[in-house]
Amino acid sequence: ALLAASYDEASGELRIRAIRMPDSRLAPELWIIPADGVPRSLGLVAANGGSRIVLPAGHRDFMEEGATLAVTMEPRDG
């Protein structure tokens, strides 16, 4: 799988493009892991194609140098 991310700091919008995600009954969930090491969910994203997420105000400060974006595969119904 390949994922690309682009973040617009002014609007707080994160754009994700997923390519070649494996077929699965599970859905990709996007996480941000800031310097404190505590993962925070940013919600489900499309398994193929583009997704746009407007980060909640409380999560925008985590989008800084050294933060990690991660994807896990989770049940679609939570």
Side-chain angles (χ1 to χ4, degrees):
L2 176 65
L3 287 119
S6 173
Y7 181 63
D8 181 343
E9 188 174 352
S11 68
E13 183 178 75
L14 181 63
R15 293 182 204 139
I16 303 293
R17 174 150 310 274
I19 302 170
R20 291 180 279 177
M21 292 287 287
D23 288 334
S24 176
R25 295 180 334 159
L26 301 174
E29 184 170 355
L30 184 65
W31 300 80
I32 186 164
I33 307 169
D36 67 6
V38 178
R40 279 115 173 147
S41 176
L42 298 177
L44 298 179
V45 295
N48 287 293
S51 298
R52 292 180 180 208
I53 299 169
V54 176
L55 272 63
H59 284 51
R60 292 180 186 183
D61 288 342
F62 298 136
M63 289 295 292
E64 62 185 6
E65 185 76 28
T68 299
L69 292 175
V71 174
T72 58
M73 300 302 287
E74 303 292 338
R76 293 182 187 277
D77 59 3

